[in-house]
Amino acid sequence: MNLELTDAIAVLERTPGAFRALLGGLSDGWTKSNEGPDTFSAFDNVAHLIHAERTDWIPRARIILAQGANRRFQPFDRLAHVLESQNRTLAKLLDEFARLRADNLATLRGWNLSESQLALEGEHPELGNVTLRQLLAAWVAHDLGHIAQTARVMAKQYREAVGPWRAHLPVLDRA
Amino acid sequence: MNLELTDAIAVLERTPGAFRALLGGLSDGWTKSNEGPDTFSAFDNVAHLIHAERTDWIPRARIILAQGANRRFQPFDRLAHVLESQNRTLAKLLDEFARLRADNLATLRGWNLSESQLALEGEHPELGNVTLRQLLAAWVAHDLGHIAQTARVMAKQYREAVGPWRAHLPVLDRA
């Protein structure tokens, strides 16, 4: 699919509700377990998405739209959420993610982006030149990747419990 | 995690809402696209889960609990949903899945299963002897696997659109 703003927003606006429906009220056994050292639990996935709402997508879009002399993005810290989310509850994180996402989508809609604006470029510190259109597509795909990761890490908590069914459930052995 | 009934039911009861939050009202571009020939779209994932509600988990649990002379399960048809879901809308499928799941969880709760019942065995046509406890764990992991698959197939619709970000989004190239 080519990125159309309405398609992208349709997914972006559903993500907080999908996380809430999947995780809201679940025990820590489901939400705090991970796939081993230095991997994300379901809780970590939500915390990481919150950090991205604050520091990644919309801030980078602003840099692109400003078209200033320096269009290089700040590096994104993929582990900043660990400290930020200490001593917080999943319920609070789900609320915060929903609020930040709604605010960011209001900003995005308010820009009423034109095709020529979507083609403007910024500089990713690792990936080089990227367009605003690519950034918005990456925002959507990043959401969906973290939904997939969250479901996978939860499934893996039953890797042994399923017994022989492990052979039929590839999600249990996916990296 | 060992399977505890309350943990298993907590996930099973959330799955229909998670699919509804993620997919409800989305365009066919998101819900009918797949990963290539003989792969599942988001729509197919929901249709497949409906077929499993009807023919797989609870019917097999009944065979185990009955402990009759023949404890061999009927093979599960992984493609039966294709014909069954023709000419139906995703909105109808989401409703049907929620209704069937609620009914099946009412059945499961009503059994008030004991530890000794959870240890009873049936015969899977391919996997051999399996316990009721393993069947319930597989039901949960199967749900989560299809949530992950649904998010992945949607993400892949933007595999080209993300441009250089593809290198940072492993979900876009996962089989």
Side-chain angles (χ1 to χ4, degrees):
Chain A
M1 286 163 71
N2 290 317
L3 178 133
E4 300 292 340
L5 265 177
T6 51
D7 289 336
I9 290 172
V11 173
L12 291 170
E13 69 186 1
R14 281 165 173 76
T15 305
F19 274 98
R20 189 185 300 279
L22 180 61
L23 301 178
L26 277 185
S27 67
D28 284 358
W30 284 120
T31 62
K32 294 289 188 81
S33 300
N34 62 21
E35 297 173 278
D38 299 322
T39 64
F40 282 17
S41 66
F43 179 94
D44 292 328
N45 273 275
V46 180
H48 167 81
L49 287 166
I50 286 172
H51 188 69
E53 289 303 299
R54 291 195 187 287
T55 69
D56 191 331
W57 312 108
I58 288 289
R60 289 177 170 189
R62 286 189 198 282
I63 290 170
I64 294 175
L65 287 169
Q67 289 290 295
N70 179 6
R71 300 169 194 176
R72 192 179 173 95
F73 308 150
Q74 292 292 316
F76 180 69
D77 183 344
R78 295 187 197 185
L79 295 174
H81 67 272
V82 176
L83 275 175
E84 286 176 3
S85 63
Q86 271 187 333
N87 305 317
R88 304 198 64 204
T89 64
L90 179 58
K92 291 281 188 197
L93 295 188
L94 290 169
D95 287 346
E96 184 176 10
F97 179 43
R99 185 174 51 76
L100 290 168
R101 174 58 57 90
D103 290 349
N104 283 335
L105 291 182
T107 298
L108 176 61
R109 286 191 179 96
W111 286 336
N112 195 19
L113 294 170
S114 65
E115 288 296 310
S116 59
Q117 284 176 306
L118 287 168
L120 293 174
E121 291 188 342
E123 184 190 345
H124 188 288
E126 290 175 41
L127 301 172
N129 285 350
V130 290
T131 66
L132 179 54
R133 187 185 288 279
Q134 289 166 342
L135 180 142
L136 297 177
W139 191 5
V140 173
H142 181 262
D143 269 20
L144 293 166
H146 283 289
I147 292 173
Q149 184 178 351
T150 297
R152 184 187 73 219
V153 57
M154 291 170 67
K156 284 190 181 176
Q157 307 314 312
Y158 275 177
R159 185 156 61 185
E160 310 305 325
V162 302
W165 261 287
R166 185 166 170 179
H168 282 189
L169 295 164
V171 69
L172 300 179
D173 289 286
R174 195 167 279 138
Chain B
M1 287 163 70
N2 289 319
L3 179 133
E4 300 292 340
L5 265 178
T6 50
D7 288 337
I9 290 172
V11 173
L12 292 170
E13 70 186 1
R14 281 166 174 75
T15 305
F19 274 98
R20 190 185 298 280
L22 181 60
L23 301 178
L26 277 187
S27 67
D28 284 358
W30 284 120
T31 63
K32 293 289 188 79
S33 301
N34 62 22
E35 297 174 279
D38 300 322
T39 64
F40 282 17
S41 65
F43 179 94
D44 292 328
N45 274 275
V46 180
H48 166 82
L49 287 166
I50 286 172
H51 188 68
E53 289 303 299
R54 291 195 186 285
T55 70
D56 192 332
W57 312 108
I58 288 289
R60 289 177 171 188
R62 287 189 197 281
I63 290 170
I64 295 175
L65 288 168
Q67 289 291 294
N70 179 6
R71 300 169 194 175
R72 192 178 174 97
F73 308 149
Q74 291 292 314
F76 180 70
D77 184 344
R78 295 186 196 184
L79 296 173
H81 67 272
V82 177
L83 275 175
E84 288 175 1
S85 63
Q86 271 186 332
N87 306 317
R88 305 200 61 204
T89 64
L90 179 58
K92 291 282 187 197
L93 295 188
L94 290 169
D95 287 347
E96 184 176 8
F97 179 43
R99 185 175 51 76
L100 289 168
R101 175 58 58 90
D103 289 350
N104 283 335
L105 291 181
T107 297
L108 176 61
R109 286 190 179 96
W111 286 336
N112 197 17
L113 295 170
S114 66
E115 287 297 310
S116 59
Q117 285 176 305
L118 288 169
L120 293 173
E121 291 189 343
E123 185 190 346
H124 188 287
E126 291 174 41
L127 302 172
N129 285 348
V130 289
T131 66
L132 180 53
R133 187 185 287 279
Q134 289 167 342
L135 180 140
L136 296 177
W139 190 5
V140 173
H142 181 261
D143 269 19
L144 293 166
H146 283 288
I147 292 173
Q149 184 178 351
T150 298
R152 184 187 74 219
V153 57
M154 290 170 67
K156 284 190 180 176
Q157 306 315 311
Y158 275 177
R159 185 156 62 184
E160 309 305 325
V162 302
W165 261 287
R166 185 166 169 178
H168 282 189
L169 294 165
V171 69
L172 299 180
D173 288 286
R174 194 166 281 137

